[in-house]
Structures are given as C-alpha cells and as structure tokens.
Amino acid sequence: MASYETRDYDVLVVGAGGAGLRAAIEASALGVKTGLVCKSLLGKAHTVMAEGGMAAAVASVDPEDTWRVHFRDTMKGGKMLNHWRMAQLHAMESPERVRELQEWGAIFDRTAVGGISQRAFGGHTYKRLCHVGDRTGLEMIRTLQDRGVHAGMDVHMECTITHLLKDGERIAGAFGYFRESGLFVLFRAKAVVLATGGVGKAFKVTSNSWEYTGDGHVLAYEAGADMVDMEFMQFHPTGMVWPPSVRGTLVTEGVRGDGGVLKNSKGERFMFSYIPEAFKNDVAASEEEASRWLAGDKQARRPPELLTRDVCARAIVSEVREGRGSPHGGVLLDIAYMDSEYVKRRLPSMHHQFMELAGMDITKEPMEVGPTAHYAMGGVRVDPETQAATVPGLFAAGEAAGGMHGANRLGGNSLSDLVVFGRRAGQGAAEYAKSLREKPRVNLAEAEACAKELLESFNRSEGENPFVVHEALQDMMEKNAGIVRNEKDLRAAIDALAGLRKRASGVKVSGTRQYNPGWNEAIDLKNLLTVSELLARAALERKESRGAHTREDYPDYDKAFAKVNVVIRRRDGAMQVAQEPLPEMPDELKKLLEGESA
Amino acid sequence: MSDLTLRLFRGDAQGGEIREYRVPVEEGMVVLDAVLRVQSRQSNELACRWNCKAGKCGSCSAEVNGRPRLMCMTRLDLFPEGEPLTVTPIKTFPVIRDLATDVSWNFETNKRITPFTPKADADWKFFQHDVERAQEFRKCIECFLCQNVCHVLRDHDLKDAFMGPRFLVRTAGLEMHPLDVADRLRYLKDEGGIGYCNITKCCTEVCPEKITITDNAIIALKERVVDRFYDPLTWLWRLLTGRRSK
C-alpha cells in the first residue's frame, strides 16, 4: 500500500502563474483556507515569458479607447466565437486590474505626462498594452508572488496534481506528488481552481516550457467537465527559427508593435498581400501610410504586420511554402532600420536573447522568425461570472479555461485574462466553498488507486523511454494537427494517438521517486496524449477555416459553424463531440459589433 | 561537429560523483541542451530544473566549469572545442539530486521583507525618471546566482544573519519606489545583515540581467542605513525633534 500525506483546504488552486496566483490571493482575502500548488518553483510559471504587455483600455495613450472598443476588437479577433460575456467582463474589468497591480507595486513604463505607457499590438484598434519594456509577465508574476506570500495562503512548490477526486458529482479533492521527494499527497478540498496553463508541449516547435502538458485540461475532462473550442491552437507567428536548439522560442509581437516589418527572401513586405476582407478598412493601404502611423499620425491606419496572429502565421507559412522563406525556413522580421537606442530601450530582452542565443544584433540585422505553438484558446467551459466548470466545485481560469478568446486570441489579452478571471475564479471558488454545509468526502480507496497507478512505470522489467514516446507525439502532432490541417491528417492523428497511448502505457522508469524527470515525464505523457486527442477530434469536427483553425479541405468560413462551439465531454469513458449554439448576445452588444463580420 | 564530453555531478545530499557522458553537438547549442540530451537519451533520472529556456525565468542555474551561469544562456561554442565541460550544482544551497538544489531558504527570506506599502492617498501619476532605478532592480529573474557567489553565504554560510544580494536588490526596489512609505532600514541593519556585505561585487559580475547590484542597490541602501543609525548629526537631530527621516 502506497502511503501519502493529507492536507486540508477550502480552496485548492492548481497552478501559480498569473491566474492561479490571482485566484489564490482573492480566495485568501475572502477568508477561506487556501492552498496553492505549482509544478515549478514559485515565480517560474509561464507567465514570466509573457513579453509585450497587458491589454486594457486604460486610455492613457489613446484617450479615445474604451472597453467597448476593446470588446469589439477581442470579438473580431476571436472571429465572433468568443463567449460574449467573458469578452465583455474582460474588457470592462482589465483597466481596474492594471491599476490594482500598480497599487500592489508593479511599475509599468510611463508616458511623458506620468501615466501608464501603452503600446500597439495586433488586432487592437488603439495603443492598449500596458507594459514594462518587453518583460511585462515577469513584472506581473513578481508583483502577484510578493502579494501572495503575505496573503495567508500555503504554497506547495514543485508539486504535480495527477487526479481530481469526487464525492458523487462534486469535487472532493486532488491527488498528486511532490517532485522533490517523490512522495504522494492527498489534498482534501471543497473547491479546486485549475490554472495550469496550456498544452504546447504536444507540438514539436513551441514557445512553451516542459510544464505545458495540458494537466488542467485533462483533469477537468476526466472529471466529466465540458471542454470547449479545443480545435483552436494559436501558433504565434514569430518564434525563433535558428539556431535549432532555440527553434520556437518566442519573439514578442512588440517587435511589430514598435515598427518591425515582415519581409520575404526577395525583400518584399509581404503582409500587404494577405489582408483579409474583414480587416481591409483597419489596415494601411501602403508602406507610406504604415510609416505615418508609426510616426504617430492618428489619421493613418495600422501596418499589416499588426493583423491578428492567425493571419500573420498563415501568411508566413504561405511565403515559406512558395519558396520565399529565409535560409532556415522562416521569414525576416526587421527592426534594424530603426534607431538602435530606441530598439534597445523598447525591446531589451529581445536584443539580449538574439545576441546571446543566435549571436546576432537585432539593431543591425533582421531576425529570422516562423510560427510556434503558443497558446490554447480552448479549455474548460466555464461560467463567465464565477469561472465555475460544469462539475460542481471545479473552477478554471487563464489558459486552462476556454471561451474568452474564441477562435484566436489577441496579443496582450492573455495577461489581462489571467487577472480578470483569476480574481473571479478565486471569488467563485471561495463562495462555493463557503456555501457547502459539509465537506465532501474523499473515497480513500480511490486515493490508493491513484498512488498505485502512478507507480506502475517503475514495475516494468523492460519498456520504452518516455522521452522518446513524447518526441514521437510531438512530431506526429506537428505534422497532422499543426497550422494547416485536413481530414486525412486529422484521422491519421487520431489513429496514431491510439498507438502512442499503447507505447506510453508501456514506458519504463528507473531510479527512485526523488526528483526523477523520467518518472515525471511518464506521468505527464498521459495528459499530453489525451489533450492531443481532444484537439484532433475538435479539429476534425470543425469543417471550415476560422481563426487559428485552418482546414485545407474547407478553406473558407462556414455560416453554420459561425453559430456553434465544438464541445467535448467524457461519456461512458469515450470522447463525445458535439456542436452547441453560441450563447445569445444582448442587443446592446450586438450593436457594438454592427457592420463587423467574422 | 565533434561530440562533447559532458561531466555531470550525479548524487544527492549524501554525496555523489562526477560522471562522463558523450553528447552529439549541433550548431548554436547551449549547455542546457546538452544536459537535456543526456536526460532524454542516456539517463532519464538526471535531475535538473529549467522552464523558459530563454533566460527569463532563472530556473537553470548551475556551475559550468566552476563558473555560475544560466545553462540556457550559455552556448557551447563559448568553450574550446574538444575539451570536456563540467557542470555541477550551485554550491551555496544543499543538493537535492544531481543539478537540482534546495533553494527554499530564499523563499523564506523573501517573506520577511515588508511588502510594498503605498501612501493611502497616493497620486499614481509618476514619471519614467522617477522609476528607472527601481525598474532596474525589478528585472531580477531570481536565478539566485548572486546568492550563490556571495562569499558571506557561500563560504561562511551566514544564512541566518544575512539576506544576500538578491534580497537587498528586492528591498532596494521597494525602498526606491516613489510611492512606498514603509521603513525597512532597521530590518536591513538587524535581520537583513547588510553590514556583512563588503562590496566585493562578485554578485554584480554574475548577474545575467546585468543589474548593478553592488553600486546601485547595496551601496545605496548601506548609505541610508549609515545615515539613519551611525551619523551623529542625524542622531542628534532625531533626539531633538523626535523625527525620523526616510
């Protein structure tokens, strides 16, 4: 019998990036006993990689900006599939969350008149991203971390949650292990908030870290929660492509916001040829107009490099496919034509990153960039007000939750999403926990079974290397369910996943449980396989191209699919895929979107 | 390109040894790539921390040929080709396993610093030049390389008495925020042990974020502590007026 320690909380938050920290701060403030679990050390979560900024209609640079314009931009960027209420709450509340971070000690860059500086980003009508150079995520996480450690919560670092436990229909706790010791832990909790981030490690070229294995997505799915929009995986248009070891590492959209232009091997500024009909009126018609915009001319329209990420990523793929790519299979992103001091001040960490890792100076030469798996728009379906999942006691926030970003997320909308909905999830979970008359009961036999399952990979006399199986999965997903998809490849992906699942269930782990990456990998692999299947099945279902989901066999928008989300839930142990109508938007919001089509 | 001979510390709190691995090298590889290559192909249980792989999270600190570095930002072509490379855990903190060390002392130390405390009626309008200094300190990625090289912590193991450069930088970031009103000087002097630092600048040399830790953070804080507690004129002024100056 495997032993485990037991901890008791009202609210257990899984994940300590921006959303998890903000949720735990809120729950603690509401007086419930709160535990926060993170897979890495505190302060190392993926939020730290967010560079460009946090979108909020603070209107300190462009006074014309309002939440209504932010709402419209977000819906339009998401191709109208976003949950309207999430997009509305996000646009309305993000300025308040920016001010709150400032009051908690975050120091955003300033404008000449002493307000918060805001920069331009793709799909945003106005300069809207509050930022600190190009290390905004670090500022957010450090601010929340320092606030959090004084808020009364317990923090359990390097702890992985592997199972959710239920009492009947409702959440009763979570099971997992501490990486450092390898020992098991049972958290008894009235409510669990999943803030585990994304799924990028299912792909070969990704900006995501080892942590991004879809843990929260799969925990929720297996607990019976509805998953929504899983087909929408954002490929950020600009990841590094050279040298090979850093392929996929993020190059912030701030480069383009601050004047960077995309060029092909012939030196052509190709984005002018890829402006979609729906965005024609928002974008500069010529290089001359784009330059005027950059110089601050309010009459001029944005450069086409600031089209949404889905559009830019597809354009880059086309250029490379048609033989106009850069030497290492990307395109060129050039900001070297601008003043070098300006570039170093606005983009210090990009300057440093390319200097150290690629041995080149971005103030002198163009960067080579290409798409990289970056962000899952899909996730746990939640109630916009409380972030409650469809399983009682389960909540989700940040990248693990779905709905907010629809078919494509605008840059900068993630950091604001984390704190707007992190706060709401913390509140929702705390209120739910308070409303329970008695604590749900954990079935101890179930906890025993979790422990037994986790140890299986140690018991095999022979078996495959878990890292090798993971790499096979990444190659397969990149090929069959990447940026451009079709039915044949997606079916091949689903078949291949069955084979990979078999291989994963036979991996062998050696050594002890103490800080053993091989063992940890074997455990994470299970989630990666399930989340990949959720993604592939949803992608197969949506027979159109929209936002981040591109189907060669259905290259256009489809009116019927404009009205539905793809929802997946677990029924009788299998994935049940359904199309469900979008929630009905109130007339006053419809009016804001008049004249806009997806 | 030829293979690399990578010599890695393998062991735990009880002790360990250096073991040799051969790793194929490709263009642009960093030390972390080589270590992860050993982990994924030769020894799955090799323990090491990493996250962002772009110098932004400060997880993969180690000593490469004896010099503290972020493994993800250290290119292999920095070293002479054909010579073995030795990677050991950072020395100041106890080994958990292999390259992963127990850095929990840092998180405990951080908790004792009085958090940001703004004026009740603060005017949140302030200018870039007001915050440039504090922003420098907020660049810190908590890699703890400065803690690792600080001889007060590394050689004398005075963790009970001295908070170390990382937390002097953090305190400086708070003290130099234009709207912060908390007073951390007595804490710096008594519990923080700022007097232990004798400004050898080892911390500044290893900072991957190039924060001028000694000159801009520690010396500035030392001056404030001296002004408060050791300057006879200030002492007399306080005695006569009962006022403290921040």
Side-chain angles (χ1 to χ4, degrees):
Chain A
M1 209 171 78
S3 64
Y4 53 84
E5 65 177 278
T6 304
R7 305 271 181 155
D8 281 281
Y9 291 107
D10 294 315
V11 173
L12 180 74
V13 180
V14 186
L21 274 163
R22 187 64 190 84
I25 289 169
E26 194 67 14
S28 301
L30 292 169
V32 298
K33 193 174 180 215
T34 304
L36 177 65
V37 163
C38 45
K39 221 168 151 182
S40 282
L41 296 174
L42 187 61
K44 309 297 183 194
H46 219 283
T47 305
V48 98
M49 280 293 281
E51 293 162 354
M54 168 174 180
V58 174
S60 59
V61 171
D62 287 331
E64 304 89 333
D65 201 10
T66 64
W67 75 261
R68 289 178 184 83
V69 188
H70 192 181
F71 167 77
R72 194 181 65 208
D73 289 345
T74 299
M75 292 297 296
K76 202 172 160 185
K79 313 297 179 265
M80 308 294 168
L81 282 193
N82 325 50
H83 193 306
W84 64 268
R85 181 60 177 159
M86 290 181 85
Q88 182 190 25
L89 286 171
H90 169 260
M92 289 173 90
E93 292 180 2
S94 49
E96 209 176 310
R97 299 280 80 75
V98 169
R99 286 189 281 268
E100 177 179 82
L101 283 171
Q102 179 165 268
E103 285 162 23
W104 292 354
I107 305 178
F108 292 100
D109 286 347
R110 317 308 297 178
T111 64
V113 293
I116 293 174
S117 172
Q118 297 186 275
R119 66 155 51 108
F121 242 52
H124 292 282
T125 301
Y126 296 112
K127 295 202 169 84
R128 190 178 281 147
L129 268 75
C130 308
H131 60 93
V132 187
D134 54 3
R135 54 164 194 88
T136 316
L138 174 68
E139 187 73 9
M140 173 183 275
I141 206 138
R142 204 65 83 227
T143 303
L144 292 172
Q145 176 186 344
D146 289 338
R147 178 87 184 177
V149 297
H150 295 284
M153 65 184 77
D154 292 343
V155 181
H156 302 284
M157 294 188 220
E158 301 197 307
C159 177
T160 300
I161 296 299
T162 58
H163 298 81
L164 292 177
L165 301 170
K166 298 206 298 187
D167 176 3
E169 284 309 301
R170 62 186 183 179
I171 289 295
F175 194 83
Y177 66 94
F178 294 107
R179 210 165 142 78
E180 179 174 334
S181 61
L183 297 178
F184 296 128
V185 55
L186 166 64
F187 293 100
R188 288 191 296 217
K190 293 176 184 167
V192 172
V193 179
L194 298 171
T196 48
V199 310
K201 274 296 173 187
F203 293 89
K204 185 176 180 179
V205 178
T206 177
S207 64
N208 293 175
S209 86
W210 70 273
E211 293 193 277
Y212 266 36
T213 51
D215 295 6
H217 288 79
V218 177
L219 288 168
Y221 164 74
E222 290 190 337
D226 288 3
M227 306 300 291
V228 68
D229 296 339
M230 287 303 295
E231 65 274 33
F232 297 113
M233 180 75 203
Q234 178 167 80
F235 291 83
H236 194 292
T238 60
M240 292 177 80
V241 297
W242 190 92
S245 73
V246 292
R247 192 172 185 115
T249 298
L250 189 64
V251 178
T252 177
E253 190 165 328
V255 176
R256 285 170 286 143
D258 290 347
V261 297
L262 289 166
K263 290 181 177 170
N264 62 22
S265 59
K266 293 173 146 180
E268 295 159 339
R269 199 166 159 188
F270 58 83
M271 282 309 297
F272 282 101
S273 328
Y274 292 91
I275 304 168
E277 198 55 33
F279 289 86
K280 213 177 61 193
N281 296 326
D282 305 340
V283 178
S286 65
E287 294 196 27
E288 181 272 329
E289 186 181 353
S291 312
R292 277 194 286 121
W293 176 89
L294 193 60
D297 180 350
K298 298 239 174 193
Q299 305 311 311
R301 292 166 296 179
R302 285 174 279 156
E305 281 82 7
L306 291 179
L307 283 159
T308 52
R309 289 177 176 178
D310 49 337
V311 176
C312 294
R314 264 195 308 277
I316 292 172
V317 170
S318 301
E319 288 297 308
V320 174
R321 281 193 177 180
E322 284 162 31
R324 295 187 294 273
S326 62
H328 301 98
V331 294
L332 300 172
L333 173 59
D334 187 7
I335 198 163
Y337 74 94
M338 297 188 76
D339 174 61
S340 71
E341 285 313 307
Y342 167 85
V343 173
K344 282 189 219 164
R345 182 165 47 82
R346 299 283 289 193
L347 302 160
S349 82
M350 284 304 105
H351 183 252
H352 180 68
Q353 179 174 308
F354 275 88
M355 202 62 125
E356 297 289 319
L357 296 175
M360 60 152 287
D361 184 348
I362 66 169
T363 69
K364 298 204 169 77
E365 292 172 75
M367 296 161 252
E368 270 195 271
V369 295
T372 178
H374 184 57
Y375 186 92
M377 268 72 71
V380 184
R381 185 192 240 180
V382 291
D383 170 63
E385 315 290 330
T386 62
Q387 299 290 101
T390 49
V391 171
L394 190 61
F395 297 78
E399 194 173 348
M404 161 65 208
H405 305 286
N408 172 62
R409 175 174 70 79
L410 296 188
N413 270 2
S414 177
L415 287 186
S416 40
D417 168 6
L418 300 181
V419 280
V420 165
F421 294 108
R423 174 180 156 275
R424 283 184 166 270
Q427 198 174 36
E431 277 162 14
Y432 170 86
K434 284 182 186 175
S435 76
L436 289 192
R437 263 190 253 147
E438 57 191 36
K439 195 157 196 174
R441 283 161 45 135
V442 171
N443 178 346
L444 296 184
E446 233 179 285
E448 289 290 333
C450 297
K452 194 163 165 263
E453 180 197 316
L454 293 173
L455 291 175
E456 276 170 6
S457 53
F458 280 109
N459 301 333
R460 299 188 184 107
S461 54
E462 54 187 71
E464 224 178 329
N465 173 343
F467 288 96
V468 171
V469 181
H470 184 178
E471 284 168 30
L473 168 73
Q474 290 176 303
D475 287 338
M476 189 284 288
M477 286 298 284
E478 193 81 29
K479 179 167 163 282
N480 291 324
I483 306 180
V484 181
R485 303 159 172 176
N486 62 54
E487 176 163 347
K488 186 170 142 276
D489 289 349
L490 289 167
R491 288 202 186 280
I494 292 167
D495 288 344
L497 283 166
L500 286 163
R501 204 176 279 280
K502 212 168 272 171
R503 286 171 67 183
S505 64
V507 295
K508 175 182 156 36
V509 171
S510 52
T512 69
R513 280 155 65 183
Q514 189 199 34
Y515 222 113
N516 185 338
W519 182 44
N520 307 153
E521 173 81 7
I523 293 167
D524 290 345
L525 201 45
K526 196 189 104 195
N527 292 340
L528 279 167
L529 288 160
T530 304
V531 91
S532 297
E533 190 176 338
L534 287 167
L535 196 151
R537 288 196 185 276
L540 190 60
E541 182 72 11
R542 185 169 285 278
K543 294 179 180 62
E544 66 159 351
S545 293
R546 179 178 299 270
H549 175 63
T550 303
R551 289 276 301 253
E552 315 179 284
D553 42 355
Y554 300 95
D556 301 315
Y557 285 140
D558 180 303
K559 278 196 180 125
F561 276 106
K563 296 186 169 67
V564 294
N565 292 119
V566 173
V567 177
I568 307 187
R569 53 177 73 86
R570 188 178 194 199
R571 290 295 178 265
D572 304 318
M575 286 185 189
Q576 185 193 76
V577 184
Q579 295 178 22
E580 297 187 6
L582 299 178
E584 185 67 25
M585 198 185 303
D587 288 341
E588 79 243 34
L589 292 183
K590 277 188 193 154
K591 274 197 203 114
L592 291 178
L593 301 174
E594 254 167 34
E596 303 291 0
S597 60
Chain B
M1 246 168 268
S2 61
D3 285 3
L4 168 74
T5 302
L6 193 60
R7 305 173 70 242
L8 298 177
F9 173 83
R10 302 301 305 268
D12 56 24
Q14 269 68 55
E17 59 183 11
I18 298 285
R19 272 187 230 160
E20 266 192 25
Y21 302 88
R22 297 285 291 171
V23 182
V25 175
E26 58 177 9
E27 202 174 359
M29 247 167 91
V30 293
V31 174
L32 181 62
D33 292 317
V35 170
L36 292 179
R37 174 81 196 189
V38 171
Q39 185 189 70
S40 72
R41 286 296 182 279
Q42 301 175 50
S43 178
N44 289 172
E45 65 273 29
L46 167 64
C48 76
R49 287 197 182 95
W50 68 279
N51 281 65
C52 75
K53 214 174 168 293
K56 294 185 172 67
C57 77
S59 300
C60 62
S61 304
E63 301 193 359
V64 182
N65 283 353
R67 189 185 159 84
R69 291 176 178 280
L70 291 179
M71 290 193 283
C72 74
M73 296 302 276
T74 306
R75 283 171 60 133
L76 293 178
D77 56 18
L78 210 68
F79 304 93
E81 207 181 318
E83 286 181 22
L85 203 65
T86 306
V87 184
T88 51
I90 52 175
K91 189 189 156 210
T92 298
F93 301 100
V95 171
I96 297 172
R97 250 172 57 84
D98 305 335
L99 301 179
T101 57
D102 177 3
V103 291
S104 56
W105 172 81
N106 292 288
F107 291 93
E108 292 308 314
T109 303
N110 186 41
K111 274 191 210 165
R112 290 195 287 272
I113 300 171
T114 306
F116 178 61
T117 316
K119 278 183 222 158
D121 59 345
D123 175 4
W124 293 95
K125 189 185 256 193
F126 48 87
F127 299 90
Q128 195 60 41
H129 59 82
D130 296 327
V131 296
E132 223 122 66
R133 182 56 63 87
Q135 279 189 334
E136 181 191 3
F137 306 137
R138 297 184 65 86
K139 287 187 334 196
C140 170
I141 56 173
E142 296 203 325
C143 64
F144 305 131
L145 289 179
C146 59
Q147 304 289 75
N148 180 48
V149 293
C150 172
H151 62 98
V152 182
L153 302 174
R154 187 183 178 102
D155 303 325
H156 304 290
D157 197 22
L158 287 169
K159 295 195 189 77
D160 292 338
F162 181 53
M163 69 208 300
R166 158 59 190 138
F167 298 105
L168 291 169
V169 164
R170 163 142 160 73
T171 309
L174 293 164
E175 287 284 308
M176 293 179 205
H177 190 300
L179 296 175
D180 178 76
V181 293
D183 184 346
R184 301 172 187 84
L185 295 188
R186 178 164 290 281
Y187 179 81
L188 278 176
K189 173 175 154 300
D190 297 339
E191 280 97 323
I194 192 169
Y196 278 103
C197 168
N198 57 358
I199 52 175
T200 52
K201 302 197 181 187
C202 310
C203 51
T204 307
E205 274 171 34
V206 296
C207 178
E209 284 293 312
K210 310 248 182 313
I211 301 171
T212 39
I213 302 175
T214 321
D215 290 359
N216 288 355
I218 302 181
I219 292 178
L221 290 178
K222 273 177 176 279
E223 281 169 357
R224 291 183 186 201
V225 170
V226 166
D227 282 352
R228 164 78 66 78
F229 297 103
Y230 303 104
D231 178 30
L233 287 177
T234 314
W235 179 82
L236 191 65
W237 171 255
R238 276 209 337 259
L239 193 75
L240 295 173
T241 64
R243 255 189 253 162
R244 316 191 127 199
S245 55
K246 198 191 160 186

